[in-house]
Amino acid sequence: MAIGCGFWEYNVGSKFRIYLSWESYISSNSRTGAIQMGLLVFLSYVILLNTVVPISLYISIEFIRLLQSKWIDWDNNMYYEPDNIQAQARTASLNEELGQIEYIFSDKTGTLTQNIMTFKKCSIRGKFYGDISNENKDNKRTTDELQAIKFIEQDNNFVWYDRTLIDDIEKNENNDINHFFTLLALCHTVVSEEQDDKIIYQAQSPDENALVTAARIFGFAFLNRTQSSIKVRFRNKIETYDLLNILDFNNYRKRMSVIVRKHGQIILYCKGADSVIHERLDPSEKNIMALTHEHLHKVASEGLRTLCLAWKELTAVDYENWAKKFKKATTSMERREEKIDKLYEEIEKNMKLLGMTAIEDKLQDGVPQCIERLTEAEIKIWMLTGDKIETAENIGFSCQLLTDDMIIKRIDVETEEDVTIELNRFRIELIEKIEQLFNIHIDNQNKRLNWKNLGINEYKFNQHTNKKINIENFQGFSLLITGHALVHALSDQLKIKFLELATMCKAVICCRVTPLQKSQIVELIVKHDKIITLAIGDGANDVSMIQKAHIGIGISGQEGRQAVLASDYSIGQFRYLERLLLVHGRWSYIRISKFLRYFFYKNFAFTFCQFWFALYCGFSAQTIFDAFFVTCYNIFFTTCPVLVLGVLDQDISANHSISKPHLYIVGQKDKLFNRKIFVECALHGLISSCIIFFFSYLCILSSIEPSGVVLSDFQTFGFMVATILVIVVNLENALEMWYWTGIYIFILLGTILLHFLFHFIMYSTLLRITFKINYPYVGIFQVALKSGTFWFTLLLICTILLLPVIGREFFRIRFMPNEIDKARLIQKFGIHKKQTTKNQIDPRQRQRSLSIRSTGSGYAFSQKKGWGPMITSGTLRTKSASRSDSRQNHKQ
């Protein structure tokens, strides 16, 4: 436009300087003066045309996001009453991204499960306790048919049905049982506290709390500790053990031990993962370990977390020799940790197996249904957990992350060479299965595999598979990989191959992973696939993962608030994630998309009117509109209706949104606002401005009222264009709005009336008389509204612009409806589609299938290293112990 101004000034304007003189600082030379005028007009048009992206756009978006966040805060359907936890949006800038999630990375313990551990079953020297068999049938009775045993020291979370163990304890004939529960009462880092004559345990991990609580209920109660002793109550008799050493837990050792002394007898008690305990047993324990392994497989198939228990009696001479070397190692200034670990290994060998424990960590309510709906929304869920692969696999089946119709690949190797072999083998198997089922041939097998490039929707395999071949009802691939294998899979040499295969899977479960590995996995997806990711967890070990993902969700659970404080949103239970994404996330994405589409449309229509007028004013940067109208257009005359659209609009209700997860795909594919739609908005605004400007111009070009008033003056024309523009864009907003309410109708009509009221006051003669100003628009309002030409032009242009939009939408909904249109019609007319019920697997059949699939146990040990030294150094002490010590010192 500045160039156009330069040409006009050079060819036309320079010849009429006697009538329209240039400024004194402009050169009198026609060419130089024209160039100077063009540069000045360029700056003027920068100011005049900045309405394409006005400052009100940023303010409006932030206002909409703020209120969208408040809808999350105020949603009582995401209120977790037992813990009094309300969903909270801790940021207001990511609401629309909640509607575009493609990958969810989830912790297991405390996120998918309740993180409330309960002692369920155990095996003591080959005898299994916890299962109750029917006397007449060879099957187990359900808990509904049983009556729980009542204990003297009952715990709310502890339920036990097997009378056999109680009888064996009361008989007091089996010394192995005494050793078993003595170990549970002594081998831990739990701290006790007395409250109202009750013992309250403060444990670092819920697992330890469950084990110590179970021992107390069965009559082996831990009372308190000092840095050198442990006081217990066994069979109503209080005893004190000398605490000689605590061999602390760490992720490498996967076990902990204590060395205690009682009546001159020195005993080492050890508990840990079955694999590490098995390696340190005496060769004579081979048969017992084999029997215990069967029990481990059995409880692992039920998703229980397990530990193995072992013990060893030490001679005084052996212990004294070891203790001297251990003391020397702890004071060493070089390689201290290495020396200590070596001494741990030296004494923790040739042990006798006591048995195993099985702890239940139940799934949270609604987790399977939530995961099923999120999967239907084409969201991939990866479970990143510190548990063993068997426990994670069975939890995966319990929460429907894995199904029996999936091809499951397990990678549980430790060397880089083995990991490479397993990944290559999996890739070959994957290609062969795809070619077999989908009747296609992959020409370039070195190219990265991608379902989209293959033209296959992995969530609708039945549409693509060969029905004669796919008799197994193939539902996709899943990958289970351990932390040891991930060390190599995430290396620079293998990470792209791992990414390729993992993204071809519907579900991925990473087991025994560290917090660092969790963040590396999320970073790998974010960096290479350029998609919106979400991470959800409840503990401090999930913080790095939460911070790496685009959106972090913290669950307020048993492990504190570290995850919540590092997150963008917090919820009370995992099941609320489906409402957060499928309702709030989807609505937020739709609202922001429609807001941006409409906002750019109305501003393009406004700005292009200025452009058309420039053709008639020599590109002089003269505005067609009144200066007050230019100021108020984006503040008062068009903003309120679009704000209501961005805050209140919804296509279908919340319940329908949850029941139709496939509607979420719109946000993932960014169908509602992208480059194509932006261009369409610009063209729509261009066409609207063209019709508004030129039809108004033609209608009043030679228009004279019967009273003799000429309407073709500049002020009347500008007011007519402004008025028609305001009415048209607000009616366009009404057509964009799906959810009409009384509030919206009031604001829509009020905005249009405000335009008329504003100009009635501004253009009245009363204003001129009161303020003694010579305003060129005075009287224009009355003249225009009394004119039939004005109303005819308004009606004509509204019909020309709005009728095609209405017709297009009618035709599209009638003949080419999209998924949202179908869902709205179903909701409006109460049409309910028949839901296809999935084949229900008999629980006993599922139990058998899981038992076959499981080849190991789940490892229940979630505490961190460092508590042992704190206890033995006296840093960590119980309150009751401290009080007793102070009383003894006072007596002395």
Side-chain angles (χ1 to χ4, degrees), residues 682-693:
L683 291 175
H684 190 189
L686 174 67
I687 294 170
S688 297
S689 67
C690 184
I691 293 175
I692 291 172
F693 181 88

Side-chain angles (χ1 to χ4, degrees), residues 817-883:
N818 56 34
E819 293 298 328
I820 293 178
D821 297 327
K822 294 175 184 177
R824 294 180 64 212
L825 290 172
I826 291 172
Q827 176 179 294
K828 181 177 180 180
F829 297 107
I831 303 171
H832 298 285
K833 291 185 177 180
K834 294 181 179 180
Q835 299 292 331
T836 58
T837 57
K838 296 187 175 181
N839 295 328
Q840 299 294 327
I841 299 177
D842 183 72
R844 286 172 293 180
Q845 181 181 352
R846 167 58 63 86
Q847 180 73 21
R848 288 195 296 271
S849 65
L850 292 181
S851 299
I852 294 172
R853 214 171 7 244
S854 300
T855 58
S857 67
Y859 173 43
F861 219 126
S862 58
Q863 74 180 60
K864 300 177 183 178
K865 64 176 292 187
W867 276 43
M870 291 176 64
I871 292 172
T872 54
S873 65
T875 305
L876 190 66
R877 306 173 70 182
T878 63
K879 292 184 178 180
S880 56
S882 300
R883 288 197 297 269

